[in-house]
Amino acid sequence: MRALRGPYVTDLLATFEDGLAVYLVMEWCEGGDLFKRLLLHGGRLDEHFVCVEVIVPLLRVLEKMHTLS
């Protein structure tokens, strides 16, 4: 996660674990998550929004991941 620092990636602030799980402490994303936005818009999102705000950033992070491997 730390290697992916930059735009479009939520910062990993800390990690800890107990006997049951590993916990990731991540930065607050004020805009909420994609699922919440989908619910607020009746289960459908504008094509332009999806392309610009979801697909393009996703592909940029994927490209960065490939350059790191």
Side-chain angles (χ1 to χ4, degrees):
M1 292 281 304
R2 291 197 175 161
L4 291 174
R5 275 201 168 139
Y8 313 116
V9 178
T10 305
D11 276 341
L12 177 63
L13 303 175
T15 61
F16 60 95
E17 60 184 287
D18 60 19
L20 300 174
V22 175
Y23 300 90
L24 305 176
V25 180
M26 308 204 54
E27 103 180 272
W28 171 256
C29 294
E30 190 171 333
D33 61 36
L34 186 58
F35 184 67
K36 184 176 181 181
R37 188 172 189 122
L38 185 65
L39 292 177
L40 289 172
H41 289 88
R44 296 183 62 93
L45 294 173
D46 177 67
E47 182 178 344
H48 182 266
F49 169 81
V50 172
C51 289
V52 173
E53 300 293 330
V54 179
I55 295 173
V56 169
L58 178 68
L59 291 175
R60 287 187 176 151
V61 173
L62 183 61
E63 178 182 37
K64 186 171 185 177
M65 290 172 69
H66 281 280
T67 64
L68 293 173
S69 61

